[in-house]
C-alpha cells in the first residue's frame, strides 16, 4: 500500500503548494505581504531488506516567507530618511513662498513705507504726505503681523502634527508589543513562525519608521525590541513606552513622573522633519522678522526723538517703545524646574544694531553663585560672572541688558531668553496725528546780519538728546527750547567764544565756558564736542591770573619781570579705555612760575587731554596827570606810547586827561598793530565797563604771561590799575619817576578738556592752579548734544547764533535722515540694512528649501530602489504564481494518476484472484 | 532580476507622477511668466529680485522727488524773474531821480509814490508762497511770512537761513529753496550803511518804532563804522524838570551822548546818521543814590601831617588829601571839597575835582552817589576813622544801598556793509519824499541815488548769481534723472533676466515633458496587459 501512501503524500504536498500559491495570489496586493513558498521534503525511506531503501513519498516541511532581513532593515532606514526630508520640504515650501511673495512678504511693505517717508520729506509741510506715512506704517505693521501670524500658525500646526504623530507612534508601538506576544505564543506552540504575523510586525515597524527614526533588536524569543534612533526604548517585549507632546511642543517619552524631554534627540521620520523645520527654519525666521521690526522701531523712534514735529515739539515714539513693560513676559521663559518662582528679571534691548537672531540661556551654574549666559545659535558663552546678590544687577551682552530685579537665584536655575521672537508682534504705530512726525531738526543756525566777514555756519544737527548718563541733556530741558540758545562770537579772525544767548542784549558765558577757541580760516571748524563723555575743567585756582594779595613791584627800567607765582603741583590723570575698561594713570608735574602756555603744552601730552591757555587782563582807572616825559606804558617789553624827541608823548597821542577813551583807543590800536605782540596772540579792545568807565581789555591767546609796566613821574599822580578780568581786585601801578618802572605780571588762564574716561586728580587736592579737584563739579560735562561748524573767513565781532528751531514747517532735515534709514546698515553690527536683513532671511529659507527639495528627491529615489529591491525579493509575481499553479496542478494530477495506477494494480490483483 | 507584479505598477506610477509634476511646474512658469516662483527655485536670484525691486521702488521715488524739485525751482525762478523786472523798473526810476537839476519837489513826490508801490510789490514777491501754502523764501520757517512791513520804512525778516534739500539720486541731494536772507537781505552795500531795529525786549505798548534812517554824512559815518549804537531810554528824572530822555552808547558800552531830551518823531542825528524814534518808549528806572553816612564826626588836626584816604566808585579810585583842622561835619565837608591847600604842596586843592570826577556829593550827613554806584572809602588811618565816624582803614567801609538806573526800551543802529533790498527802496523813496528845493538837499538826494544804484546793481548781481545756481541745480536734476533712468533700465533688464521665464525654452521643455508622460502612459498600458492569467 505504500504506493497509495506515497501518492497521497504527493497529493497533500501539492495541495499545500497550491494553497500557498493561492494565498500568494490572494495577497498579491496586501501591503507588507511577503510571498510564501511551501517547501516539501521526501519522507523517510523504508528498508527493503537487502535491496536497500525505498522512498515513502513527500511531506510539506515548511511554509517559508521569502524575506531578506537586511533589505527590510534598509527599507526602514530609507523610509525614515525620506519622511524626514519630505516633511521638512513640504513645510518649508509653505513659508519660503510666503516670505518672497509681493503681497505677503515684507520687502514690498518696506519699500512702500520708505517711499512714503521720502515723499513726506519732499514736502515737509504737507499733511496728506505725512498722513500717507502713517498709513503706510500701519500697513507695514499689518504685514509684520500677518507674516508673523502665519509663522505662529505654522508653528502651532507643527505642534499639532507632532501630537498626531506621537499618538500614531503610541498606536504602532502598542501593536508591535502585542504582535511580539502573539508571535511568541504561536512560535512556541508549533516551532515554525507565523509568517503573516511576522509580516504584520514588519509592516508596523515600517510605519513606525515613517514617523520616527528607530533601531530594532531581535531577541532569542523572537521578540523585536524597538528603540529610537538615539537609544530610548519604545517597545520592550510586549510593553511599550508612550510618547506625548507638551504645550510648548516638546516631545516627551514615558509616563508622567518619569517623563523625559527627547525633543533634541529625535531625528529622522516625520517627527524629526517637523522638529528640524521648527527649530532651524521657523523659529529663526520669527526671530529675524522680530529683529527687523525691533530695529526699525528703535531707529525710527530715535530719529523721531531728535526731531521736531509740526507743532514745534520734540518728537515722540513713532512705534511702540521696544522695551515697553508689557513685552517682558514674552522675552523670558523660566524653566519649570527652577528653585523658587519669585525671581524677577527684565530683558531690555539696549542696542538694536548689535542684536542677533539667537535665543539665549541664562543659568545659575549648578552648585555655585555664578551665572552664565549662552547664545544658543552657536553655544557661545557671551557673559559670565558672580551673582552680586545686590539688586538690580545688570548683565550686558549682544545689545541686550538682562536686569536681575529681585528674588532668590540659586544653582541650577535656568531661563530661556527670547529677545526677538515676539518682535514682529510688538511692532505697532503710536502716532496717529500727521503733525506728530518729527521732520525738522530741533536747532537752527543763523548768521548775524551785521557780520562783516565771509564766514558761514552749517545748518547744525542734534547728536543726542541724552548725555553719557542717559539723562536728558540740560540743553533740551525744559522741552520746546534750546537752553540756553547759543551765540558764537568771534573775538578775532582766528578766535571765538560761545556764549549763553538767553538775553540777546547781554550774552553770558556758558557753564562751563567755551572761550578763546581757535578758528582756522578756510576750513570747516566743528564748534562742539562729539564725545558725550567729554568734560572740561575751568581753572580757577587761588593763584591764577592776578590773584588777590599781589601788588606792583618797582624795578629799574627794563629790569626783570615779576614771576607769575604759579606753584609746582602734581597732576594725575586716570585714563579708562572705553572698550576694555582697563585704567592707566599718567602723572605730570607743573613747573614753578611756568606760563599757562607751558603748562597747557605739558598737560596736552597726556592722551585724551587737551589744554588751552590764554591770558587776559584789563587796564582801567587811568589817572595820568602828567602827560609828558617820563611817561611810558610797556606791555611784554613793547613800548605803547609813541614819543617825540625829548621823551614827551608824540603829538598824535590823545591826552588821557581830556579824553581817556581816545587814549585807550590809541593804546588798543598800538597793541593790535604791533607785530611782536601779534606773534604772541595779543589783541586789545578799548571799551567801557558796566558802569560806563573806559577800560582797555587785553587778551593773549597764546597764554604767555602778561608783563604790564608804567614808567611815569612820581611827583604828580600818575596811576593805572590792572586786573585779570575774573573778579580779582585791581593792582595799582603808580609812577616812580624816570628810570623806574612800576610793574605787575598777569598769569594765564587754563581750560582743560578731558575725553571720555579721563579724570584728573591734583596734589594738593585743592590746586592753586586748577581749583578743588575733589569738588564734584571740578570737571563738568561739556557735551551739548548738538553740532555745527563754521567755515570761511569771519572777522572780529562777527557772530552766529544757534537756537531752537520753532515754526520750521518747511524743514526736512530729520525726515531726510529717516528716509536714509532705508539703505543704512543699521543691523547685525552695521552690516545689514532692513531690506538686506530680510533678503538674507529669504535667501536662507530659500536655500534650505532648495536643498530640501533636492534631498527629498534623492531620498525618494533611494527609497524607491530599496522598495523595488524588497518587492523583487518578497513581492508576488502573478505570472510566477500562475506558472506555479499549473506546476502544482500537474503534480497533483500525476499523484492522482499514481493512485489510479495503484487502483489498477489492485483491480488486476483482485481480478486475478 | 526578479520582478514582482506590484513593481510594474509602481514604476509606471512613479514615472507618471514625476512627468506630471514637471509639466505642472513648467506650465506654472509659463502662465506666470516667471522662472523663479518660490525662493527655493533659485535662492540667490530670489534675493536679487527683492533687492532689485527695492531699488526700482526707490528710483520711482527719486523720479517723483525730481519732479517736485523742478516745480519748486521753476516757482523760484518765476519769482526771481519778477523781482529782476521790478528792479529794472526801479533802476530806471532811480536814474530819473538822479536829474536833481531839473526835477522839482512835486516830481519827486510822484516818483516816490511809484517807488513806494514798487516796494509793496517787491514785498509781495519776497513773500511768494508755493502750492502747499509755504513761503518759499522763509528758509525752514515756511509757515511764517518772512518779510513784514513794520511801518516807517522798516522791514523785519522773520525767516531763517534754512535750505530745503531733496534727494535726487541715492547720493545726490539738491537744494530746492533759497532763504530770503541770502537773496534779499544780505546784499553787499556800496557804502557803509546801517540797519535799525527795536530791541526784542522792549516793553512799551504800543511799541515805539525807529525809522530806517538815512546817512546824512557818509564821511562821519565811515569814521564811526563798524561800531553800533544803542539808544536806551532813561528815567525821566535824569533831566530836570523830568522828561523823556535817552542815552546813546556804542557797542563797547561807551557813552556817545547822554540824557538827550526825547520828542517823538524828532530827528536824531549822530555820527553822520539821522533817524527818528516814533511813539512813547518805556522809560527806564531812576537810580537809587548810594549813601554812606558819616558817623559821629570827631575832631583832628591834619594841618601838621596831612593824610590821604581813598574813595572808589565803580572801579574808579581817587586819593583825597586831608590837610586842615577838622572839628565838625561842616569842616569835614569843606575839607573833602576843598579847592585850596592849607599845607602847601599837600595836593588837597584838587579834592573837589576828584570827588566830582567820581560823581560823589558830600553834605554834612555824609557821602552820596547819585548814579547809584556804591562807594568805598578805604586805606585811611585811625585819624580818618575818627573824623569820618566809620571804619576807613584797609578795606574801610562801603555803601550798600545804591541801585543803578535801569534802562527802559532800547533801539539799535547796527553798522553793516550789507543792505536789504526793501530798505534800499524805502530809503530812496524816503529821501525823495523829504527833498526840498535847496541845493544842499538835492546834493544829499544825489548821494542817496548813487548809493541806491550801486545797491540795486548788487542786488541784481546776487539774483543773477542765484539764478545761475538754479540753472545748475536744474542741470543736476536733469542729469540725475538721466542717471536714474539708466539705472532703472539696467535694473529692469537684470530683473527680467533673473526672474522671467524664457518662453521658447519653457515651451520646448513642456513639449518634451508631455512626450515623456505619454510614453510612460503607453508603455504602462502595454506592460500591464501582459499576464499569464490571460492565457489560462
Amino acid at each position: 500500500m505504500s504506493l497509495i501512501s506515497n501518492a497521497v503524500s504527493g497529493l497533500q504536498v501539492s495541495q499545500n503548494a497550491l494553497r500557498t500559491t493561492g494565498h500568494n495570489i490572494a495577497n498579491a496586493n496586501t501591503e507588507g505581504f511577503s510571498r510564501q513558498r511551501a517547501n516539501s521534503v521526501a519522507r523517510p525511506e523504508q528498508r527493503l531488506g537487502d535491496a536497500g531503501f525505498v522512498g515513502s513519498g513527500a511531506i510539506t516541511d515548511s511554509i517559508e516567507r521569502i524575506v531578506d532581513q537586511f533589505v527590510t532593515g534598509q527599507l526602514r532606514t530609507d523610509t525614515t530618511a525620506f519622511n524626514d526630508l519630505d516633511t521638512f520640504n513640504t513645510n518649508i515650501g509653505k513659508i519660503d513662498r510666503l516670505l518672497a511673495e509681493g503681497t505677503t512678504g515684507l520687502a514690498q511693505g518696506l519699500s512702500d513705507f520708505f517711499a512714503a517717508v521720502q515723499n513726506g520729506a519732499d514736502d515737509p509741510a504737507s499733511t496728506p504726505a505725512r498722513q500717507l506715512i502713517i498709513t503706510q506704517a500701519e500697513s507695514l505693521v499689518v504685514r509684520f503681523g500677518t507674516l508673523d501670524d502665519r509663522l505662529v500658525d505654522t508653528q502651532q500646526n507643527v505642534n499639532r502634527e507632532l501630537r498626531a504623530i506621537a499618538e500614531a507612534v503610541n498606536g504602532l508601538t502598542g501593536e508591535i508589543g502585542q504582535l511580539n506576544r502573539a508571535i511568541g505564543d504561536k512560535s512556541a506552540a508549533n516551532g515554525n513562525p507565523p509568517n503573516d504575523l511576522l509580516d504584520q510586525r514588519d509592516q508596523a515597524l515600517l510605519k513606525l519608521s515613517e514617523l520616527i527614526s528607530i533601531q530594532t533588536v531581535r531577541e532569542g524569543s523572537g521578540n523585536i525590541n524597538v528603540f529610537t534612533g538615539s537609544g530610548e526604548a519604545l517597545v520592550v517585549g510586549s510593553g511599550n513606552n508612550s510618547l506625548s507632546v507638551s504645550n510648548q511642543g516638546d516631545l516627551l517619552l514615558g509616563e508622567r513622573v518619569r517623563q523625559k524631554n527627547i525633543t533634541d534627540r529625535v531625528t529622522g521620520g516625520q517627527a524629526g522633519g517637523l522638529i528640524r523645520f521648527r527649530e532651524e527654519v521657523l523659529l529663526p525666521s520669527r526671530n529675524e522678522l522680530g529683529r527687523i521690526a525691533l530695529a526699525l522701531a528703535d531707529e525710527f523712534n530715535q530719529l523721531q526723538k531728535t526731531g521736531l514735529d509740526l507743532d514745534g515739539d520734540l518728537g515722540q515714539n513713532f512705534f511702540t517703545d521696544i522695551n515697553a513693560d508689557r513685552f517682558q513676559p514674552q522675552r523670558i521663559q523660566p524653566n519649570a524646574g527652577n528653585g523658587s518662582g519669585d525671581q524677577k528679571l527684565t530683558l531690555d534691548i539696549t542696542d538694536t544694531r548689535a542684536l542677533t537672531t539667537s535665543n539665549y540661556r541664562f543659568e545659575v551654574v549648578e552648585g555655585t553663585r555664578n551665572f552664565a549666559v549662552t547664545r544658543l545659535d552657536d553655544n557661545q558663552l557671551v557673559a559670565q560672572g558672580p551673582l552680586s546678590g545686590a539688586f538690580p544687577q545688570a548683565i550686558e551682552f549682544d545689545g541686550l541688558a538682562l536686569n536681575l530685579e529681585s528674588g532668590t537665584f540659586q544653582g541650577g536655575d535656568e531661563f530661556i531668553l527670547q529677545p526677538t521672537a515676539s518682535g514682529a508682534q510688538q511692532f505697532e504705530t503710536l502716532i496717529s496725528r500727521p503733525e506728530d512726525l518729527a521732520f525738522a531738526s530741533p536747532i537752527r543756525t543763523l548768521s548775524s546780519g551785521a557780520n562783516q566777514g565771509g564766514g558761514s555756519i552749517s545748518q547744525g544737527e542734534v547728536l543726542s538728546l541724552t548725555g553719557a548718563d542717559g539723562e536728558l541733556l540740560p540743553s533740551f530741558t525744559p522741552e520746546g527750547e534750546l537752553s540756553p540758545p547759543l551765540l558764537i562770537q568771534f573775538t578775532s579772525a582766528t578766535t571765538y567764544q560761545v556764549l549763553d544767548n538767553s538775553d540777546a542784549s547781554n550774552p553770558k558765558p556758558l557753564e562751563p565756558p567755551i572761550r578763546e577757541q581757535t578758528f582756522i580760516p578756510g576750513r570747516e571748524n566743528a564748534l562742539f564736542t562729539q564725545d558725550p563723555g567729554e568734560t572740561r575743567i575751568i581753572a580757577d585756582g587761588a593763584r591764577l591770573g592776578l590773584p588777590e594779595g599781589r601788588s606792583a613791584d618797582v624795578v629799574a627800567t627794563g629790569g626783570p619781570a615779576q614771576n607769575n607765582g604759579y606753584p609746582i603741583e602734581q597732576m594725575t590723570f586716570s585714563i579708562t579705555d572705553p572698550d576694555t575698561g582697563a585704567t592707566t594713570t599718567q602723572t605730570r608735574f607743573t613747573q614753578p612760575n611756568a606760563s599757562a602756555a607751558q603748562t597747557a603744552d605739558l598737560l596736552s601730552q597726556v592722551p585724551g587731554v587737551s589744554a588751552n591757555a590764554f591770558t587776559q587782563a584789563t587796564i582801567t582807572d587811568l589817572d595820568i596827570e602828567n602827560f609828558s616825559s617820563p611817561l611810558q606804558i610797556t606791555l611784554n617789553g613793547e613800548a605803547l606810547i609813541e614819543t617825540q624827541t625829548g621823551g614827551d608823548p608824540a603829538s598824535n597821542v590823545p591826552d588821557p586827561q581830556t579824553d581817556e577813551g581816545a587814549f585807550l583807543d590809541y593804546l588798543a590800536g598800538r597793541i593790535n598793530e604791533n607785530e611782536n605782540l601779534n606773534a604772541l596772540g595779543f589783541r586789545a579792545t578799548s571799551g567801557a565797563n558796566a558802569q560806563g568807565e573806559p577800560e582797555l581789555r587785553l587778551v593773549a591767546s597764546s597764554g604767555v604771561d602778561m608783563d604790564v609796566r608804567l614808567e611815569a613821574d612820581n611827583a604828580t599822580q600818575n596811576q593805572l590799575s590792572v586786573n585779570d578780568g575774573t573778579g580779582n581786585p585791581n593792582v595799582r601801578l603808580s609812577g616812580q619817576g624816570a628810570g623806574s618802572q612800576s610793574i605787575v605780571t598777569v598769569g594765564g588762564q587754563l581750560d582743560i578738556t578731558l575725553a571720555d574716561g579721563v579724570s584728573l586728580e591734583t596734589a594738593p587736592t585743592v590746586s592753586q592752579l586748577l581749583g578743588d579737584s575733589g569738588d564734584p563739579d571740578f570737571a563738568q560735562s561739556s557735551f551739548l548734544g548738538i553740532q555745527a561748524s563754521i567755515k570761511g573767513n569771519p572777522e572780529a565781532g562777527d557772530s552766529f547764533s544757534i537756537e531752537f528751531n520753532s515754526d520750521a514747517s518747511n524743514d526736512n532735515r530729520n525726515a531726510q535722515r529717516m528716509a536714509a534709514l532705508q539703505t543704512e546698515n543699521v543691523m547685525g553690527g552695521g552690516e545689514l540694512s532692513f531690506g538686506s536683513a530680510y533678503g538674507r532671511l529669504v535667501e536662507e529659507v530659500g536655500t534650505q528649501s532648495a536643498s530640501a527639495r533636492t534631498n527629498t528627491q534623492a531620498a525618494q529615489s533611494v527609497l524607491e530602489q530599496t522598495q523595488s529591491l524588497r518587492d523583487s525579493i518578497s513581492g508576488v509575481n502573478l505570472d510566477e504564481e500562475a506558472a506555479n499553479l499549473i506546476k502544482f496542478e500537474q503534480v497533483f494530477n500525476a499523484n492522482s494518476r499514481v493512485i489510479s495506477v495503484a487502483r489498477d494494480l489492485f483491480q488486476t490483483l483482485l481480478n486475478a484472484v | 532580476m526578479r520582478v514582482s507584479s506590484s513593481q510594474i505598477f509602481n514604476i509606471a506610477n512613479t514615472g507618471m507622477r514625476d512627468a506630471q509634476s514637471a509639466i505642472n511646474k513648467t506650465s506654472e512658469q509659463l502662465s506666470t511668466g516667471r522662472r523663479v516662483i518660490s525662493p527655493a527655485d533659485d535662492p540667490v536670484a530670489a534675493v536679487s529680485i527683492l533687492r532689485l525691486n527695492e531699488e526700482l521702488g526707490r528710483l520711482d521715488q527719486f523720479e517723483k522727488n525730481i519732479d517736485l524739485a523742478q516745480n519748486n525751482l521753476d516757482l523760484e525762478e518765476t519769482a526771481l524773474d519778477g523781482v529782476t523786472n521790478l528792479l529794472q523798473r526801479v533802476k530806471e526810476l532811480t536814474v530819473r531821480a538822479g536829474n536833481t537839476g531839473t526835477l522839482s519837489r512835486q516830481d519827486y513826490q510822484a516818483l516816490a509814490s511809484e517807488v513806494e508801490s514798487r516796494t509793496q510789490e517787491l514785498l509781495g514777491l519776497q513773500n511768494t508762497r508755493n502750492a502747499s501754502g509755504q513761503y518759499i523764501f522763509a528758509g525752514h520757517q515756511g509757515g511764517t511770512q518772512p518779510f513784514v512791513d513794520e511801518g516807517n520804512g522798516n522791514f523785519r525778516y522773520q525767516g531763517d537761513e534754512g535750505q530745503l534739500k531733496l534727494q535726487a539720486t541715492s547720493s545726490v541731494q539738491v537744494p530746492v529753496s533759497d532763504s530770503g536772507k541770502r537773496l534779499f537781505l544780505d546784499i553787499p552795500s556800496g557804502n557803509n550803511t546801517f540797519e535799525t531795529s527795536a530791541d526784542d525786549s522792549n516793553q512799551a505798548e504800543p511799541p515805539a518804532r525807529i525809522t530806517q534812517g538815512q546817512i546824512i554824512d557818509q564821511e562821519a559815518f565811515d569814521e564811526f563804522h563798524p561800531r553800533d549804537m544803542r539808544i536806551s531810554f532813561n528815567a525821566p528824572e535824569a533831566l530836570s524838570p523830568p522828561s523823556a530822555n535817552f542815552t546813546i552808547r556804542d557797542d563797547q558800552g561807551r557813552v556817545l551822548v547822554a540824557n538827550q531830551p526825547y520828542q517823538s518823531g524828532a530827528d536824531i542825528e549822530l555820527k553822520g546818521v539821522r533817524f527818528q524814534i516814533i511813539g512813547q518808549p518805556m522809560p527806564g528806572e531812576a537810580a537809587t543814590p548810594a549813601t554812606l553816612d558819616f558817623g559821629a564826626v570827631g575832631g583832628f588836626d591834619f594841618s601838621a601831617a596831612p593824610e590821604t584816604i581813598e574813595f572808589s566808585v565803580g572801579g574808579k579810585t581817587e586819593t583825597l588829601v586831608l590837610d586842615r583842622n577838622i572839628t565838625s561835619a561842616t569842616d569835614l565837608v569843606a575839607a573833602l571839597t576843598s579847592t585850596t591847600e592849607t599845607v602847601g604842596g599837600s595836593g588837597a586843592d584838587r579834592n573837589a575835582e576828584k570827588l566830582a570826577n567820581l560823581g560823589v556829593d558830600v553834605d554834612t550827613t555824609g557821602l552820596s552817589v547819585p548814579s547809584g554806584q556804591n562807594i568805598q572809602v578805604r586805606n585811611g588811618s585811625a585819624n580818618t576813622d575818627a573824623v569820618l565816624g566809620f571804619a576807613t582803614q584797609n578795606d574801610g567801609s562801603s555803601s550798600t544801598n545804591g541801585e543803578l538806573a535801569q534802562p527802559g526800551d532800547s533801539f539799535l543802529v547796527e553798522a553793516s556793509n550789507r543792505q536789504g533790498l526793501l530798505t534800499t527802496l524805502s530809503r530812496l523813496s524816503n529821501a525823495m519824499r523829504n527833498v526840498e528845493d535847496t541845493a544842499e538837499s538835492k546834493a544829499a538826494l544825489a548821494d542817496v541815488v548813487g548809493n541806491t544804484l550801486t545797491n540795486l546793481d548788487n542786488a541784481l548781481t546776487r539774483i543773477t548769481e542765484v539764478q545761475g545756481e538754479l540753472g545748475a541745480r536744474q542741470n543736476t536734476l536733469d542729469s540725475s534723472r538721466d542717471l536714474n533712468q539708466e539705472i532703472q533700465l539696467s535694473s529692469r533688464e537684470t530683473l527680467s533676466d533673473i526672474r522671467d521665464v524664457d518662453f521658447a525654452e519653457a515651451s520646448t521643455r513642456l513639449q518634451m515633458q508631455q512626450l515623456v508622460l505619454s510614453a510612460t502612459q503607453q508603455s504602462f498600458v502595454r506592460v500591464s496587459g501582459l499576464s499569464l492569467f490571460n492565457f489560462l
Side-chain angles (χ1 to χ4, degrees), chain A residues 181-237:
Chain A
R181 181 185 299 150
I183 290 167
D185 290 351
K186 293 211 170 151
S187 309
N190 83 11
N192 271 330
N195 287 333
D196 295 315
L197 287 181
L198 290 182
D199 273 351
Q200 277 179 31
R201 190 172 65 184
D202 279 350
Q203 184 60 21
L205 286 169
L206 186 65
K207 287 277 176 226
L208 189 57
S209 68
E210 282 177 10
L211 303 176
I212 191 167
S213 146
I214 53 168
Q215 289 176 341
T216 56
V217 177
R218 190 174 293 271
E219 271 186 342
S221 59
N223 283 347
I224 287 185
N225 293 340
V226 185
F227 302 89
T228 64
S230 53
E232 321 289 340
L234 286 174
V235 182
V236 178

Side-chain angles (χ1 to χ4, degrees), chain B residues 445-465:
Chain B
L445 179 61
D447 281 349
V448 173
V449 166
N451 288 341
T452 306
L453 281 175
T454 319
N455 291 347
L456 286 176
D457 280 339
N458 289 346
L460 283 167
T461 310
R462 169 61 54 85
I463 288 168
T464 317
E465 191 181 299

Side-chain angles (χ1 to χ4, degrees), chain A residues 122-127 130 310 807-812, chain B residues 72 75-76 124-146 164 177:
Chain A
D122 287 351
D123 192 356
S126 154
T127 311
R130 284 167 175 261
L310 210 47
D807 301 326
S809 58
N810 214 25
D811 181 359
N812 68 357
Chain B
N72 279 355
L75 179 62
E76 188 178 338
L125 283 170
Q126 293 186 180
N127 287 331
T128 303
R129 298 212 229 185
N130 68 11
S132 321
Q134 296 283 302
Y135 292 96
I136 65 172
F137 295 121
H140 284 152
Q141 289 171 282
T144 314
Q145 182 179 329
L164 190 68
S177 77

Side-chain angles (χ1 to χ4, degrees), chain A residues 632-656:
Chain A
Q632 187 55 269
I633 298 171
T634 314
L635 180 61
N636 283 39
E638 301 293 320
L640 299 182
I641 301 175
E642 289 166 285
T643 51
Q644 47 186 301
T645 330
D648 285 340
S651 57
N652 61 331
V653 183
D655 184 346

Side-chain angles (χ1 to χ4, degrees), chain A residues 768-783:
Chain A
Q768 299 295 302
L769 286 177
L770 305 186
D772 183 1
S773 71
D775 186 336
D777 283 339
F778 178 56
Q780 286 177 288
S781 171
S782 55
F783 182 65

